[in-house]
Amino acid sequence: MVVLSKPCLDQFPLVKACRPSIFFPGIPVIDLSKPDAKTLLVKACQEFGFFKIINHGVPMDFVSRLESEAIKFFSLPQSEKENGGPPDPFGYGNRRIGPNGDVGWVEYLLFNTNPESIFQRCLTVFRENPEIFCSAVNDYIAAVKKMACHVLELLAEGLMIQPRNVFSKLLMDENSDSVFRLNHYPPCPELQELSGQNLIGFGEHTDPQVISILRSNNASGLQISLRDGSWVSVPPDQTSFFINVGDSLQVMTNGRFRSVKHRVLANSPKSRVSMIFFGGPPLNERIAPLASLMKEGEESLYEEFTWSEYKQSAYKSRLADNRLGNFMKKMGSDNVLKSPF
């Protein structure tokens, strides 16, 4: 595994230590096989923008096979891993997150979800037998994408809007701009010397896409921000999936659903490996509140934009920036943002 030298700790952001062993008990857990799933999904998106799903239908052998291949890759010598970098934005990256100065105690592989693109990337990363890793990634993405679309269709049903695929069609479109990320947070033996502080693995942010599907091994570190601004630790569960509402879904629901701010702390003595599918719309898709969801007299909180415009804006920002702030409408003579919710 990657070992970062001790002096490098000064280069990474720190936060006041929390107690990661004390997990927030209020994370919604939704059984997709139950008839009340659609109602509970809507409630979770409104209250948290984050939830865990069980009975999700994703074969666990797909999950374990990809995790095994990811661990093999991240265990390679640094010089071999860097065959897949620097990220452009796809490929292998280490420590640096994006082009605007954000850093974290993390290394990663980022893929476009197009199978041909994945194969070409695997050819550069894996000089021998790229087919093995490529197959593991494609099988996992196909299964998780299917599950993500099912969740989005249940949300449409729960909101009582038509058509049922109003959200999921964005992911199913052949031009969908979805991406897939494998993150590795190495152990950090020096953490005990940080005297009451935690090292940031991946800084606080919201996801700009429609929906994000996260799965990790049995290591702690993930935190979400509640409505009151407090940070809580999410209990790890390697057999379930966690789902984030993205900025685009917040806009499409005119703020009924809220994209959740989240981060990862390097607070575990063992490696954390996570897999995230970011379900994104086509680049030319226009993102705006859905007319079928708007009540009589309800005003849009957001300026309409294309996904390409929003993606470019997000790419120019820092992780913690309020990306949607640039696209919110100013309402009223006092120039204060208003919300009907």
Side-chain angles (χ1 to χ4, degrees), residues 51-323:
F51 52 91
K52 180 170 80 171
I53 55 174
I54 59 176
N55 287 325
H56 43 71
V58 176
M60 290 312 296
D61 59 326
F62 286 5
V63 176
S64 58
R65 182 159 61 104
L66 180 55
E67 181 178 304
S68 176
E69 291 302 318
I71 291 173
K72 288 178 185 177
F73 170 76
F74 289 122
S75 299
L76 291 173
Q78 188 64 26
S79 59
E80 292 187 37
K81 288 184 288 190
E82 289 182 350
N83 287 334
D88 59 352
F90 303 111
Y92 174 76
N94 183 24
R95 309 183 191 182
R96 297 186 181 279
I97 303 170
N100 302 307
D102 289 295
V103 295
W105 193 265
V106 64
E107 57 178 340
Y108 64 88
L109 276 172
L110 184 65
F111 297 92
N112 180 288
T113 57
N114 177 279
E116 179 60 30
S117 175
I118 290 172
F119 180 72
Q120 293 300 321
R121 181 62 58 180
C122 286
L123 286 177
T124 64
V125 175
F126 305 96
R127 301 302 173 86
E128 297 182 7
N129 300 320
E131 297 84 1
I132 296 175
F133 194 94
C134 184
S135 174
V137 171
N138 280 325
D139 286 346
Y140 180 88
I141 288 176
V144 170
K145 178 180 177 180
K146 180 180 178 181
M147 182 262 288
C149 289
H150 179 49
V151 168
L152 289 172
E153 289 172 1
L154 287 174
L155 284 171
E157 288 183 5
L159 290 169
M160 295 182 289
I161 55 176
Q162 294 290 336
R164 186 173 185 263
N165 70 342
V166 65
F167 301 128
S168 63
K169 67 181 181 182
L170 302 178
L171 277 60
M172 294 303 297
D173 192 296
E174 64 178 7
N175 295 314
S176 169
D177 187 44
S178 298
V179 297
F180 178 66
R181 187 181 186 109
L182 289 169
N183 286 333
H184 171 232
Y185 303 91
C188 185
E190 295 84 5
L191 274 177
Q192 60 203 33
E193 301 176 22
L194 292 178
S195 61
Q197 299 184 89
N198 279 126
L199 193 63
I200 292 291
F202 208 108
E204 63 180 78
H205 64 286
T206 60
D207 294 336
Q209 291 88 353
V210 177
I211 193 172
S212 305
I213 312 296
L214 165 70
R215 183 267 169 192
S216 68
N217 63 347
N218 199 28
S220 62
L222 177 63
Q223 293 191 321
I224 63 169
S225 177
L226 301 180
R227 288 291 184 91
D228 63 4
S230 62
W231 288 93
V232 296
S233 295
V234 176
D237 184 343
Q238 58 187 351
T239 63
S240 302
F241 289 88
F242 293 93
I243 296 188
N244 298 337
V245 169
D247 294 343
S248 296
L249 188 56
Q250 175 173 321
V251 173
M252 294 175 73
T253 61
N254 206 33
R256 288 170 173 80
F257 296 171
R258 300 295 180 92
S259 57
V260 63
K261 188 176 288 186
H262 53 289
R263 67 187 182 188
V264 176
L265 304 184
N267 58 14
S268 176
K270 64 178 181 179
S271 293
R272 173 182 168 86
V273 176
S274 62
M275 315 168 179
I276 313 100
F277 170 81
F278 300 95
L283 289 172
N284 63 355
E285 182 71 29
R286 304 200 72 81
I287 306 298
L290 297 175
S292 58
L293 198 57
M294 302 283 277
K295 298 177 182 178
E296 185 177 352
E298 180 180 335
E299 296 184 70
S300 171
L301 301 178
Y302 307 94
E303 303 286 352
E304 185 177 279
F305 53 83
T306 65
W307 168 240
S308 177
E309 290 169 341
Y310 192 60
K311 183 178 180 180
Q312 290 177 30
S313 175
Y315 191 70
K316 295 175 183 176
S317 68
R318 297 291 299 270
L319 272 178
D321 289 348
N322 177 15
R323 300 178 178 122

